[in-house]
Amino acid sequence: MKLTKAQYDEIAQFLGHVQPTRQSLRKLKEKFPSQSQSTLLSIFSQEYQKQIKRTHAKHHTAEAIETYYQRYLNGVMKNAAAPVLLELANEVDFAPSLMARIVLERFLQEKEAAIPSKTLINSMLRDPSQIPDGVLANQVYQPISAIGHEHEVLLREMLLEKNLSFIAEDQLRAKGYDKTPDFILEVPVAVEGHVIHWIESKASFGDESSHQAYLQDQFWSYWNRFGPGLVIYWYGFIEELDCHRERGILLKDCFPTDIVTLRHSTAQR
Amino acid sequence: MAAVLELLLQEEVPVSAVVRWLRHGPGHRPAEENHIHDKLLPLSLLQKDFVPFLLNFLREQTSQILTNGPSTPAKTPNSKAHRNQRTGPERRAGHATSSRVQLFSQRTSLTTCTTDTSFSPAAASSSSSSFSGSSLSSPCGDFPSMVSSSSSGFGYSPVLNHSERRSSQKASLGSFLTAMPEALPARRGRRRGSSSVSASGRQVARDLGRSLAEEEDGKSDSVSWSGGRRKRSEVPLVSTSSPPSQLNLNNLEEFPPMGAASGWTNKSKPSRRINPTPVSAERPLSKPKMCFTSTPVSQSPASWFSSGSSTEAFTAGQEGNLTSLLSSSLQEEREMLKKERCKLLHQASSPSGVSLDPGTPTKPSYARSASLPAESHPVTWANPANVSFKKQLECLAQLYSSCIAENLVPNIFLELFFVLQLLTSKGTSVTEDGDSDLEVNEGSRDASGRQHFQSVHNCVYFAVQVLDYQYEIISHLEKGTLKLLAENERIAAFSPTLHNRLRQAYESSTAKVSLLLPCSVQSVSFQPETDNRSNFPSDRAFHIFKKQRDIFYELLREWEDDHEKTGWDFERVLGNKIRAMMAHLSATCNHSHFARLFQKQLIQMCKGPIGGGASWGDTPDQDVLNMLGSDNLSRLKRLQERFVVSQSIRGPCPPPSFPGCQQFFRDFILSAGSYQFNQYLMDSLCLKIVELDGLSLVEHEHSDGEAAMGEQDEKKRFSVVLLSLRLLAKFLGFLVFLPYRTVEQPTRDLQESAVALRNQTLPVLDVLKLLRKSIQDQRSILTIPWIVEYLSLVDHIAPFLDYYRKVFCLLLQVYRLMVLSEDKEMSFLNKLLILAVLGWLFQVPSVPEELFFTTDVRKEGWMMGTVTSAQALDSVPLVDQQLLYTCCPYLGELRKLLASFVAGSAAKNGGFIRKITPTAAESLAPKASVTQQKLQVELEQAFFHNQPPSLRRTVEFVAERVGSNCVKHIKATLVAELVQRAEVMLQNKVKEESANYDKLLEEVCTQLYEEGTQALIKGKEFCKKKGPEAVRVLLPEETSAAVLSSAEDIAVELATEKACGWLSANITALIKREVKATFNRMLKVPGLALPSEDALELRRDCPPGCQHCAPFPSQVINEIKDVLCVAVGPRDESEVIDHFWLECLLGRLSQTLRCRKFMCPTSEQQLAKCTVELASLLVSDRVPLSLRVKSPKSSSERLHVKYNPTYGLLKLLLSVWKEDFGTPVPVHLMFSRKNIAYLAEVKQQEWDLFLFMLHGLAEFQLMKTSEIQSCLRSLEDLPWPSDFLKELKMLSSIFLSEHLNRSPRTDPCELTRQSPDAVTA
């Protein structure tokens, strides 16, 4: 679903004033009934992530870390089963998982007397039994990787159905490509009059900041290597962002229907 | 000189005698033998100087009448009489270069500066190189002879002089100068500029280069108006007539090129890229001019050069002070220009922008010319009846034509341009203002001093005569030009026969030059063979290059977007980014990679004529328009606009420039300022040039049928290769001569010492050798055009080096000997192209002027191959008008002059020949004795010798490809298999010992190496199978069996050798690399890192007949998380989880897990963790379940599960864990401190649920009893409240006793019947 910049701004503004809770999501859906649910959810979680990023530094000052750690210790002392981290995170408007990380880091630092490695922290965080309390919080998270994977699978299905032969990311990586889109078309096709060589699937909403970041980190890099391509934002995007068509980055919110293929005399069909 | 002409004009000597005299240089043979006319004999020493004299004479004679287009001075040296110095026939006016040398804007100013000081004050306007031709050129005209005397011997080209001279009427003769109203103020200003500037110093090294860059970017265009004007050599007419002219004919404003008629049109013309041209700014300064008074000839060189010392300072200031000085007026002017251009465009292009009729490009110009009479001078009607001096004119025309035909003039197209100028001259200034002229003329006694060209009629008569002589060349011009000539009324009036011939030529001409699509920026594709990790020494280098590539394209995009915006400055915006990038490249030694990318991108973007900056072209073909589609129409329109606007006539000799996208690459090199990068780039360019230059492009044995097809392909390939070569050579020349580039012509002393120094070094690319070889092999049509591009960028010293002197000599020889005519050795258009590019080269500013006329053409280097070699190109008609005009866009000036209207341009978007990367080959063949091997090789050579070369190429090609494919095949099959096995082995081992990964890797690989040797066997098999297939397909059906089988065998052998050679050398490394990569991937993927035994089971498939319609994992994850959130987090009072709904959810979970299609490891792991969490919350009764009223049946079932619906849910979970998950479920998390803590809070009764769960885990074999036991035991170590600890211990014992007492249950639900209460009771 494509949103205009104005529509998106309205939603973003609404989200700026609420806590990232399920309740807020419900309200959001009530307020913007005409938008698709999945789009709203996607925007919702992205906005929340942005907020986290904005305040990230604030929560990582030595002072803040110390405060959180002490509060956590006190809380756990009182009641081992209480969702201390969660409450703490909610109170200071921070992601519980990140709060858990802060506390864990601090904890390990004390124990090991050294800065713990990222790998260790990550492995511990991945195994929730290690984390003293509820990482599964009230926050609305999308299982990003799962969704991403599903849409890639869906896209693959559609490509197969359309008889478009492609090379998938894992194959490309195996060949030593340094940057790889989800799919490279072995034979380029034209979508809405634009030739494309690759397709990238994004199971999120294309808002300005994420799109800019993607352009910088991925889409232009793909263009630099493989030429023009197509990005599908399955949860929609701000339509004003689709401004690089001429140059070779096409945005869609669904699998394109207007596909023209190269017709060789030997083509099968 | 004059004497010879005198003899001719007095009819004492026939033209043929003069031509004969000219053709035979002095000292060649005794004059008598050649029947040299007696009267010419005593003059033989002057012979060398006669042609320049003649050319100058014609220019002088016609200077007043020519108002159309830029002047066409030839780069002719002065007559000896005026030389003060050894080499000095030519006056290279410093500023003259400015117009020609767009490459060197600063030099322009410099030279102006130097010249200025030596004579009259220069105009302010001139100090900025960006001024229009008129302002720029005016000062030069005033001191031509001075210039000549002082500058002789240095590479300066007197670009403007001629025109100026023309405008100043024989001013050049040095006897006196008539003041030009426009010129004077200009001079004064320049002086001012120079002095004001000299104070301000500035950093130079980069600026110097930068100036090179700037010249074209904005300022250049304006400069280019006057491009092509250059001062001509001194003429001994000094004392004759120099009628004062009140008009500056060079002032484009007053005397705009044809079609641009009046001042306003002129102003409207500057292209948008032109930096403000202070057209009006100079006007207020106009005053009656005062001519310079010094006698230039007597001016000492010393004074001339002494003034040059302030060069740098001047340059610097020139940018700063002057621009600021002018900026305000410039702004206004820019606005004016915009408006005018707008106006013009409305007139010029039809509204749609598409409907421009390709056939009638003159239409819009009609619109303009229609307004001419009203605006200024009416075009004089030329009348054959009014021609005077007919006889003399005929003589001159014949003589002149002979000089052209014999290649005695330095640039035949320059002469043609001049002739067309005469043909199209308006002559108004003369007829109206020329009275004084006539008077002077009458006063002169000599025939050669008489004004033979005083009227338009005479000019046209002469021009038509010459055109008649040059018909053959003309008839080879492109169709549009022919049309204009055929339609030319004056030709029709003066020579009906020529008119008819031209019409016929036009009608039969197929030489249509069309506009092709401009190419937009495209990237160079990533090729794993050259770009993947294995091509880099380290990960870091690889990753840095990855970034560099992206940065490079980012810069390119930024440039593309912004470079045409006003005020955008390459260095300022991109300079630091580029240098940062260079620093990274240096740090990781990635220059070679980047140089390759850079070069490829350069070719991709610039090989077409758009990038090559064709300023000329036809209106687009309809099919091109169709191809464009509506989306691109606006783009096309913009493009056209650009060409329409910038189409002011620049003359046929523009200086070398970097138009279009080439700008980016040049500026990049300059901003980067990286020695390493330049070196790598030069290496890379040299390699590519040599490679392309050596390509065999033609097939000489077409059978009749395929000939046409083959020729077409050949032409196409040839032109692609030629254009690429020219582009690469230009950049190579740029890089090679960059360090030596000076803003200013060095003094003689400096030159001598520099020559001495540089004579010791070897050239980067041995162009002389390549040139000689190309001549020998008859491939000059490919080689000369690129060598010309390369040489066009020489610095001032290089042409004087021994080495380059030889190169120039040889080129000159080629030029002289390449008389245009159809012959077997070389097709006409091939020759025409060579002559055009060479003629252009001889006019390039840094090419010394004396070169053409003073160099003795020695025969030594000329060794034309006698036998046509297999790769000879010269005899093949490869050049067509499209290619000719693409390579020499300045030829379009002829047409512009005739039509003064052009829209669009030509572009070419050809594909590039793909280079096959050879697989490194090491001989693998069983070592036979050396003699045997040698014999085999000889036999092989012999076999090929008598076969068509295509056979050899086919075999080599097949061998190359099959060998390469073989390696790929082995990689994809054998190696992939081995890697897969390695993966399994590694997975097992990793679990066993978390020890040393490197050692582990080594171990596994060693086991595989053995198997790797299989590669050779398989490789041989592959080649043996595939080679013959391919050879058979590619060779003609009719190939005899024996030949075929030999060819097959050789192909197989070569392929095998290549493939196996590579494999044997690299297979172990390859296996290791691949295994390592896989292993690293394995470690990175979460969950796969430490896979369990049933890791393989993970990859199971959907159940048979699965419709893949189960809910998506993400959806189920979301829903379960929602439940968890409700259970854990803050919730509304009313918020409960419906029991039945939860049951359904678990059902859906089961479905989702069964369908594997959308499942990925992370999703599954997440589901596993979530469900364990859910189970923990359920057993501790933390989930607020609501029981809906159920149907009797379901409620009875529920009763069965001991009243508590949670049992059912837990049972479902257990079954899903057991049956549906493909990944191990971390059920041990149930015993985590956190989860047990939930339990610690619950009431007694809920232990039932926990116990139920424990039994379930055991029953479903999700955990072993012992595992559960140890988990429970370890829980006891935690600091629990004592009560809880007690209960925990009790629970443990209950579980154990129950479990041991009972045999495994079939129905785990029965477990629930025994509650802890019962046991303890």
Side-chain angles (χ1 to χ4, degrees), chain A residues 22 81 126-127 129 136-137 143 145-147 149-150 157 175-178 216 220-221 223-225 247, chain B residues 523 525-526 532 546 550 553-554 557 560-561 1112-1114 1118 1125 1135 1157-1159 1163 1169 1229 1241:
Chain A
R22 283 177 299 122
R126 230 181 276 130
D127 183 357
S129 63
L136 294 163
S145 69
I147 298 188
H149 174 76
E150 286 155 20
E157 288 296 300
K175 284 187 189 173
Y177 284 84
D178 55 359
Q216 185 68 26
W220 284 130
S221 292
W223 185 96
N224 297 343
R225 286 159 181 77
R247 199 166 236 163
Chain B
S523 62
S525 80
F526 180 97
N532 74 10
K546 176 170 80 179
D550 288 330
Y553 283 109
E554 203 180 306
R557 279 190 291 268
E560 201 193 20
D561 286 341
F1112 284 157
S1114 61
N1118 268 345
C1125 285
E1135 229 171 349
K1157 182 154 189 173
F1158 295 98
M1159 191 57 70
S1163 305
K1169 279 181 207 158
L1229 291 183
E1241 294 179 359

Side-chain angles (χ1 to χ4, degrees), chain A residues 26-87:
Chain A
R26 210 184 303 135
K27 276 186 223 150
L28 178 72
K29 287 175 177 173
E30 282 160 15
K31 187 156 175 177
F32 299 96
S34 61
Q35 309 294 358
S36 104
Q37 298 271 307
S38 57
T39 298
L40 287 176
L41 176 62
S42 191
I43 295 176
F44 184 93
S45 66
Q46 279 166 243
E47 287 302 310
Y48 180 54
Q49 279 172 34
K50 273 188 233 166
Q51 188 199 320
I52 296 297
K53 269 184 212 151
R54 273 198 299 274
T55 56
H56 192 264
K58 188 177 91 185
H59 298 294
H60 277 75
T61 60
E63 256 180 14
I65 291 175
E66 201 52 38
T67 316
Y68 299 152
Y69 186 55
Q70 291 310 325
R71 282 191 58 181
Y72 168 76
L73 290 182
N74 290 337
V76 174
M77 213 88 86
K78 272 186 227 148
N79 180 359
V84 182
L85 275 179
L86 183 61
E87 279 160 15

Side-chain angles (χ1 to χ4, degrees), chain A:
Chain A
M1 159 161 266
K2 284 187 231 175
L3 266 59
T4 63
K5 176 90 174 68
Q7 282 173 317
Y8 169 78
D9 285 344
E10 199 187 342
I11 295 173
Q13 205 193 357
F14 172 82
L15 289 175
H17 296 117
V18 297
Q19 289 264 327
T21 57
R22 283 177 299 122
Q23 290 82 353
S24 308
L25 180 61
R26 210 184 303 135
K27 276 186 223 150
L28 178 72
K29 287 175 177 173
E30 282 160 15
K31 187 156 175 177
F32 299 96
S34 61
Q35 309 294 358
S36 104
Q37 298 271 307
S38 57
T39 298
L40 287 176
L41 176 62
S42 191
I43 295 176
F44 184 93
S45 66
Q46 279 166 243
E47 287 302 310
Y48 180 54
Q49 279 172 34
K50 273 188 233 166
Q51 188 199 320
I52 296 297
K53 269 184 212 151
R54 273 198 299 274
T55 56
H56 192 264
K58 188 177 91 185
H59 298 294
H60 277 75
T61 60
E63 256 180 14
I65 291 175
E66 201 52 38
T67 316
Y68 299 152
Y69 186 55
Q70 291 310 325
R71 282 191 58 181
Y72 168 76
L73 290 182
N74 290 337
V76 174
M77 213 88 86
K78 272 186 227 148
N79 180 359
V84 182
L85 275 179
L86 183 61
E87 279 160 15
L88 185 58
N90 278 345
E91 187 184 317
V92 297
D93 253 351
F94 199 53
S97 59
L98 295 176
M99 183 60 84
R101 175 182 285 265
I102 290 176
V103 170
L104 183 63
E105 265 171 8
R106 177 67 184 78
F107 171 73
L108 290 172
Q109 209 176 328
E110 196 169 76
K111 216 168 100 183
E112 317 280 326
I115 308 284
S117 75
K118 276 225 156 74
T119 351
L120 178 64
I121 302 271
N122 284 335
S123 75
M124 292 184 85
L125 284 174
R126 230 181 276 130
D127 183 357
S129 63
Q130 312 255 6
I131 305 172
D133 73 18
V135 172
L136 294 163
N138 194 11
Q139 265 69 21
V140 178
Y141 277 126
Q142 284 196 293
I144 306 261
S145 69
I147 298 188
H149 174 76
E150 286 155 20
H151 282 93
E152 266 175 54
V153 174
L154 284 172
L155 180 54
R156 180 191 299 265
E157 288 296 300
M158 295 172 190
L159 289 171
L160 288 173
E161 191 189 321
K162 291 272 175 190
N163 223 355
L164 303 175
S165 72
F166 54 83
I167 316 173
E169 199 171 2
D170 39 350
Q171 291 166 280
L172 290 168
R173 219 171 266 151
K175 284 187 189 173
Y177 284 84
D178 55 359
K179 292 255 187 169
T180 50
D182 291 331
F183 300 99
I184 287 186
L185 300 174
E186 282 190 312
V187 181
V189 299
V191 169
E192 291 165 20
H194 297 272
V195 173
I196 58 160
H197 293 267
W198 48 267
I199 303 179
E200 175 79 1
S201 159
K202 286 283 171 234
S204 60
F205 179 81
D207 62 29
E208 265 171 304
S209 60
S210 64
H211 185 64
Q212 287 314 327
Y214 282 139
L215 274 175
Q216 185 68 26
D217 295 344
Q218 303 186 358
F219 307 155
W220 284 130
S221 292
Y222 302 153
W223 185 96
N224 297 343
R225 286 159 181 77
F226 314 109
L230 166 71
V231 177
I232 304 180
Y233 277 112
W234 296 104
Y235 291 99
F237 58 89
I238 299 174
E239 59 187 354
E240 281 87 342
L241 295 176
D242 190 12
C243 57
H244 294 294
R245 287 189 160 222
E246 287 304 320
R247 199 166 236 163
I249 292 182
L250 204 68
L251 304 189
K252 293 285 293 172
D253 61 349
C254 59
F255 193 78
T257 47
D258 175 14
I259 297 180
V260 179
T261 54
L262 190 64
R263 274 180 290 274
H264 276 300
S265 52
T266 53
Q268 65 284 52
R269 73 163 97 182

Side-chain angles (χ1 to χ4, degrees), chain B residues 168-171 173 175-176 178 238-245 437 440:
Chain B
S168 61
Q169 286 291 43
K170 292 176 189 150
L173 306 179
S175 56
F176 73 103
T178 15
V238 178
S239 58
T240 56
S241 64
S242 42
S245 86
D437 259 345
V440 174

Side-chain angles (χ1 to χ4, degrees), chain B residues 990-1006:
Chain B
V990 163
K991 235 180 33 178
E992 286 166 20
E993 60 213 80
S994 57
N996 190 342
Y997 284 162
D998 284 347
K999 208 179 123 204
L1000 188 61
L1001 200 64
E1002 199 54 56
E1003 260 175 50
V1004 171
C1005 286
T1006 320

